[in-house]
Structure formats: structure tokens, C-alpha cells
Amino acid sequence: MSTEWNLPSGLMPDPASPDWLSKADNAWQLTAATLVGLQSVPGLVILYGSIVKKKWAVNSAFMALYAFAAVLVCWVGWGYRMSFGDKFIPFLGKPDVALDQKYLLGQPFVGKFPNATMIYFQFVFAAITLILIAGALLGRMNFHAWMLFVPLWLTFSYTFTAYSIWCPTGWLAKMGIIDYSGGYVIHLASGAAGFTAAFWVGPRANKDRERFPPNNILLMLAGAGLLWMGWTGFNGGDPYSVSVDASLAVLNTHVCTATSLLTWLFLDIIFFGKPSVIGATQGMITGLVCITPAAGVVQGWAAILMGLMSGSIPWYSMMVLHKKIWLLKQVDDTMAVFHTHAVAGSLGGILTGFFAEPKLNRLFYLVDTWQHYIGLAYGLQTGRTTAGFKQMGIQLLGIIFVILLNIFTTSVICFLIKFVVPLRLADDELQTGDDAIHGEEAYALWGDGEKYESKHNSIYEEFPQVAPKGGGGGGGQVEMA
């Protein structure tokens, strides 16, 4: 007996609303996707344009805007079907367009909304991944080389990772890897690819490496705020439904982020003597990244613990290890994407393998958690030690796969682009910046940007030479004793 006649007229199926469509889920999914889109445009456009030296403001912001547009065209042309389409090989779907009316209005592999909604939702994740990579390359990459890099990396790297981990027929997905919303697919991938690309592109001009003050910290905070609040859609949209798990994911996201920001802030005060706004922003980002693979599958107390670790471990890798390890010192990673995304993303993946709660995994995956998806902590607690260690092993395998794939594919892509256009700008363009590259400047009515002596010479802070109370929040990089 049909129960549809008991529904309000606005919920009755009709040609525009098939019986499989949930209007609530569709509305939330479109809203969540738009929130994620706002993280990039204008969020990261503003953040990149303001955290860099004045002469790089236009170029940095435009690298983000270009990537957003270019990814969408590639995504509907072939990228989506390679990431979520019919199986081609164990780690890639068959390339195909996603523009046909019949396909767009049909039901996707999961969720109670049309393919068009899923394509839009997954696009904004692909776009922000490329924009995060750009963060490692600001201040010296040839814009024409960036124009080639974006579609090539999306095609030959992002699609492989997305299909392997997120598509139900992907090899890591079938093994049971837990990546709730992109700790691996987006953050670890962008961190590894950004660091690799930075190696091949080469460093900024010496003058910029020594002194790279942000041109507008207030605008930087505006971009960071859009990034933080947009994460409500980033993690809250991945259950693909308006569910209790979506609510938990949103709350855990903000709890972990706030804890991470405060942890980073306190460490800056203790060791540098002053509360750094740029440092707090980095702590915010590492908290967002760390909770992403775990957002809806861990309890609130675990989100707090993850925030404490995401505010301290990447802080240590950025402020201490970065100055001690030769390779980290050699590669000019402008926005410290390696630390904020690769380190924090790997940390999140490992902690997910430890804290993932079986009942919450069942709410998210809608499968029998006695077979998969049990964190090591609960495996030890319930006597299912083997299952817990297996889950941790799968999480570690995912980290290795993403890192190796991105080192290889990014290196090949950069190597090939070099035969078409230089990866790095010419020396005279490096000296001039925006005007030489785009014929435009960010602040046409203000001076040359060099009169104000900011103590924030880069995002890598320097330990004070004397007592902490005499230290500043920045300065040129020096070796620790």
C-alpha cells in the first residue's frame, strides 16, 4: 500500500521531483557545496592575495581564481566520471563527459539527489585541492605554466586518488579506508603535490625569501574566516543527507579547529613571547585539516584531543624541524602547505584509524561495522585487536599511496611542462611582480609597500635569540642552536 498520499502536497512526487529524490537532502547538498565553493572563491582568493607581499597580491589571488574556473570545465568534461564513474581499472574510472541531460537528472552512486548535485558538490572539492597546491608556489611560478599544471594534475593525479578512496569500487574504498571528507584525497594530496611542485619550480627571489610580509593581515583574517565557516559544508555535506551524523561532523569540525588554534596560539606565546595572528591562522588550518578524515566518525572528546595534536605537532614540524631538516630548508614552500596539509592530513588519517567509533561508522557508511571501520582504540577496548590494527594498517597504506602517487605524477607533469614553458618566472619578473606579469597592481593609490617594517617576514617564525620576552613574532629564518 502506497503511503505517498499521506504526504503534504509539496512533497508529493512529480516529474520534477522523482520518488527517490529527497528535497531536504538536495537542498542541503547544494548549500554545502556552495559553502565549500565560497572557501575558494572568495575565501582563498582573499587569503592568498593578502598574506603575500604587496607585489604578488594580484598574481596569488588570480592563481586561485583561474584554478577554480579551469577545474570546473575539466570536471564536467572528463574529471568527474574518471573519479566516480564506471570502473576502468582498480584506481580509475572511465573518462566520459558529464553534461548529458539524462545523466545529470539521474540518481548518483549514493544519495537522494540528482547527479547534477553530486557533480557540483565534488567539483568544489577538486577545485580547492588545486588552489591549496598553489599555496606552495606563490611568488614565482610562471602563470602560463600554472595554466597547464591545473588540468594535467586534475586529470592524472586527483582522479586516481578520488576514485581509489571515495568511489565505492576503488581499491582502497573496498579495503575499508576511512576518509570522511578529504584528509587524504584533498589535504595530504595537495600537501605532497605542492611540496613536490615547489621543488621543481624552484624558490622565490632571495629578497622575497628573506622578507615576505603580508600586505593586509585584516583581509587575511577575512579569507581565513570564510575558510573556517565554509568547512561546515566541507565536512557536513559528506554524509550526503541531512542526518544526525552530519550534525556531529559539523560540531566536531569546529571544536577541533578552535582547540587547534588555541594550542598553536599558546605555543607561540610561550616560545616567541607574542600572540601571532598568522600563527593562529595556521593553527586554525591544521585543525580543520586534521579533523576532516574523521569528522563524523569520532566522538567529541576525540575531536578535542585531535585539536591538541593538530595545534602542536604541525607547529613543531614547521617551527623546529623545518629549520633542522635539509630538504625542508631547500624547498621554498611559500604557504607551508607541507606542514599545514601533508603533516596535518597524515596526522588526521592516523588518528582516525585510532579514534574511529564503530557505531558512528555504521551511521556514516551504513554497513556492518563488525567487518570494517573500527578504530584501534575500540578494537583494544572490545577485544577486536586484529580488526583495530587492520584499520590502522589500511590508514597507513592510504598515506603511502597518496604520497608516492603525488610525488610521481607531479614530478612527471612538471617535467613535461618545462618543455613547453618555463616553470619559474624570469628574474626581471620576479623583481617586479604583478605589474610585469598581469599589467595590474593591487594597490594603485598606495606607496611601494616597503616603508612599513613588519616583523612578520614569513609564515615561519624565528625562535628568539635571547629570553622569550624579547622575541618577536617573525623575522628572518635562523638556525636553532
Side-chain angles (χ1 to χ4, degrees), residues 53 75 88 96 132 325 342 424:
K53 205 171 187 177
W75 194 243
F88 178 53
D96 202 351
L132 293 174
I325 299 176
R424 189 171 180 262

Side-chain angles (χ1 to χ4, degrees), residues 24-34 113 117 121 237-241:
D25 289 352
N26 193 35
W28 167 239
Q29 211 65 34
L30 289 169
T31 302
T34 302
F113 41 78
T117 299
F121 181 75
D238 267 294
Y240 302 123
S241 66

Side-chain angles (χ1 to χ4, degrees), residues 158-289:
Y158 184 86
T159 56
F160 283 73
T161 310
Y163 186 89
S164 298
I165 293 176
W166 277 346
C167 188
T169 52
W171 69 281
L172 281 168
K174 291 196 290 185
M175 289 183 68
I177 192 170
I178 303 173
D179 186 11
Y180 191 90
S181 197
Y184 290 82
V185 178
I186 296 170
H187 300 297
L188 177 55
S190 63
F195 188 79
T196 303
F199 171 82
W200 289 107
V201 172
R204 288 166 288 171
N206 289 334
K207 185 178 180 181
D208 285 347
R209 290 199 74 178
E210 293 169 0
R211 187 173 182 278
F212 206 68
N215 67 80
N216 195 321
I217 288 183
L218 295 182
L219 271 182
M220 179 201 76
L221 287 176
L226 285 167
L227 191 67
W228 184 348
M229 295 313 298
W231 230 281
T232 298
F234 200 105
N235 289 346
D238 267 294
Y240 302 123
S241 66
V242 186
S243 65
V244 293
D245 193 51
S247 299
L248 177 66
V250 169
L251 182 60
N252 279 345
T253 296
H254 295 299
V255 167
C256 178
T257 303
T259 305
S260 182
L261 185 154
L262 295 174
T263 302
W264 196 295
L265 174 63
F266 291 145
L267 288 171
D268 275 351
I269 292 172
I270 292 169
F271 289 96
F272 300 133
K274 292 184 179 180
S276 167
V277 177
I278 296 177
T281 301
Q282 298 291 355
M284 177 203 82
I285 292 172
T286 56
L288 291 166
V289 170

Side-chain angles (χ1 to χ4, degrees), residues 149 152-153 156-157 192-201 403-419 423:
F149 182 90
L152 288 172
W153 192 87
F156 297 107
S157 185
F195 188 79
T196 303
F199 171 82
W200 289 107
V201 172
I403 291 175
L404 293 180
L405 172 70
N406 281 281
I407 291 174
F408 175 75
T409 56
T410 305
S411 296
V412 171
I413 289 168
C414 289
F415 182 76
L416 293 175
I417 291 175
K418 283 198 302 183
F419 288 100
L423 288 171

